[in-house]
Amino acid sequence: MGLFSGKTDIAGFAKDLAGRLAKRYPPELDKQPGKRPSVNRLTRIMEDSCASAMEFRDQHKLGWFAKARLGNAFRWELDELGYSAEFIEFATEAVVVHLARKAPPPVATDKPEA
């Protein structure tokens, strides 16, 4: 697998991730302060988005360059959907921080015999 392979997968995933976020928190709500969801609801929405990004990272074994591309593609998709600069920064930072975390070690399923 080359350095730049999988570019389409990353762009497609970023578009899908932004689209799923937009279904739960439409850009129109972001621009109307009185219509924004509660902090708890927005937190759940972002946690789900971050979990999806981490699952994609783990399935595709993304390196640092691919993680950066994913973060940028996600940012551009949010911008294209019409979110505020403040929300774009918040959402992108959340996803990038989660992508940068180390994957947890695999859980051992074999029990030692007694």
Side-chain angles (χ1 to χ4, degrees):
M1 187 179 265
L3 179 64
F4 295 102
S5 63
K7 191 178 232 179
T8 304
D9 289 338
I10 289 173
F13 176 74
K15 186 175 187 79
D16 180 60
L17 185 63
R20 284 185 279 155
L21 181 104
K23 284 181 184 175
R24 294 180 66 191
Y25 180 56
E28 299 79 36
L29 290 180
D30 180 50
K31 298 210 173 176
Q32 298 176 2
K35 301 268 186 176
R36 288 186 179 164
S38 70
V39 173
N40 287 339
R41 179 163 159 63
L42 190 55
T43 299
R44 281 194 308 275
I45 292 168
M46 286 311 306
E47 284 174 348
D48 291 347
S49 296
C50 291
S52 294
M54 290 171 60
E55 186 177 316
F56 182 83
R57 174 203 67 192
D58 294 344
Q59 287 175 350
H60 297 276
K61 298 182 180 7
L62 300 181
W64 67 269
F65 187 73
K67 291 175 195 174
R69 266 197 351 245
L70 177 55
N72 282 329
F74 181 64
R75 175 188 304 270
W76 297 325
E77 288 298 329
L78 293 178
D79 186 45
E80 199 158 303
L81 288 170
Y83 284 98
S84 67
E86 180 184 25
F87 180 76
I88 292 169
E89 187 64 30
F90 162 74
T92 303
E93 183 177 339
V95 168
V96 169
V97 165
H98 278 79
L99 286 173
R101 291 182 178 166
K102 288 188 185 269
V107 177
T109 56
D110 295 339
K111 293 183 180 178
E113 294 182 23

